[in-house]
Amino acid sequence: MSSTVRDVAARAQVSAATVSLVLNGKGGISDETRTRVLMAAAELKYEVRAPKVAKAGTLGTLRFLKIAKHGHTVNRDHNTFISDYIDGMSSQAAACGYKLEVVSHEGRAIEDIVASLSGAALSGVVVLGTELSEADVKLFEACALPLVVIDTFHDVIECDFVNMNNKDAVFKILAHLAERGFKHIGFVASNVQTINFRLRREAFVDGMKHFGLAFNTRDIVTVDSTYDGAYADMLAKLRAGLVVPECYVCTNDIITYGCIKALREFDIRIPKHLSLVGFDNLPMSATMDPPLTTIDVSKRKIGNLAITLLAGQIRSQVIEPAVKILVGAELVIRSSVAQKAAKRSRTLSNAT
């Protein structure tokens, strides 16, 4: 049985009238209440329906901009990740009576992409903000179209954002490691500047303090965000005598894969000598040897919420305050983390 407005109201602990106002983009609702209702609707898979007079695709066209500014994070390795965003957007766009089109831009100037929207027959735009800077997002903010940005987050920009809750996810990882007795935990960061990568690194530092775990900045190692780059960078660090802790939390799965290749060349076995945790739950993570413990983010929910927010903007007759939603994640426990922490770290000074 499909969910109803009353179901959403019960989950969000508000009235059915409030749910109706939020889902129809009306004013007079606080940001906190609006976010709670939208999250409840997504969790219950409640589909915001278009007016009865409209058929699917008749209300206009929404465009999703898949932007690879430099390609270090938005690339072929993450196509599955992005396709989940698109699945969520596509189903919700159809439910709301809109057509969704996907346009990819690789290495194109952001100013040119924004300019291409001028005069386009579009009802609204969703932008993949993974590789975008604050200044880039502000350029899109200035375009005269309803706009939602996903996969990044900026407090200071008056724009609707839907992103994963990086802090919540990292804290779940550290809680799991602490429960298994790990004390010497490191972090594999990326030299690529993205908001999500920075938020994960900051969350790691905060989380170590939160769980009372000793932390040393030398336990943060920085590598490239591509598979080949992460492999080469980790290999160089191992050859230089890197002290490997009991466990590494890695910025994402692709970085983890590259590091594993380098670690194997030094006969560092996972998880016997070193435990590893990734982030993203890419398909390969379940089939590699050993299967990777990682964070799974509901990309479809993020896509669904992006379209819900966009449809609300389009319907609203006034400019509403920006809505910024953080979607939680789940830790997928597999075999790359030992049941108990290794007794000591290993110092490696020579290449094998």
Side-chain angles (χ1 to χ4, degrees), residues 153-332:
F153 188 88
H154 292 279
D155 284 316
V156 297
I157 299 179
E158 195 66 14
C159 173
D160 285 6
F161 289 95
V162 186
N163 194 26
M164 61 197 71
N165 191 328
N166 289 284
K167 185 170 184 177
D168 172 71
V170 173
F171 272 46
K172 285 181 177 177
I173 294 172
L174 293 177
H176 175 66
L177 297 177
E179 183 181 352
R180 292 197 174 187
F182 288 87
K183 298 184 183 302
H184 189 187
I185 305 170
F187 186 79
V188 182
S190 172
N191 56 18
V192 176
Q193 300 301 310
T194 75
I195 294 298
N196 282 336
F197 287 0
R198 176 176 63 79
L199 291 174
R200 289 169 202 173
R201 177 172 177 156
E202 291 174 354
F204 173 79
V205 175
D206 291 344
M208 292 291 283
K209 296 175 183 176
H210 175 83
F211 291 102
L213 298 167
F215 167 71
N216 194 307
T217 54
R218 69 169 175 262
D219 291 325
I220 294 183
V221 297
T222 302
V223 301
D224 186 57
S225 64
T226 64
Y227 172 80
D228 290 334
Y231 160 70
D233 289 345
M234 178 57 79
L235 191 63
K237 293 178 186 299
L238 291 169
R239 286 172 174 165
L242 175 68
V243 177
V244 179
E246 297 168 339
C247 179
Y248 272 129
V249 177
C250 299
T251 299
N252 69 13
D253 285 358
I254 295 297
I255 286 174
T256 312
Y257 304 158
C259 289
I260 287 174
K261 181 180 178 182
L263 291 162
R264 282 176 174 164
E265 293 190 19
F266 276 72
D267 197 29
I268 301 175
R269 296 184 224 172
I270 312 300
K272 181 178 180 180
H273 301 138
L274 173 69
S275 293
L276 288 174
V277 182
F279 201 113
D280 284 344
N281 196 27
L282 297 180
M284 183 178 168
S285 296
T287 59
M288 63 190 305
D289 182 25
L292 182 66
T293 293
T294 185
I295 285 291
D296 183 68
V297 179
S298 180
K299 284 83 70 177
R300 288 181 177 83
K301 181 182 289 187
I302 289 174
N304 179 293
L305 286 167
I307 297 300
T308 301
L309 287 175
L310 200 57
Q313 286 186 41
I314 295 167
R315 289 192 298 268
S316 181
Q317 297 180 356
V318 297
I319 298 177
E320 299 286 353
V323 175
K324 302 180 182 185
I325 298 176
L326 296 179
V327 176
E330 295 297 329
L331 179 64
V332 181

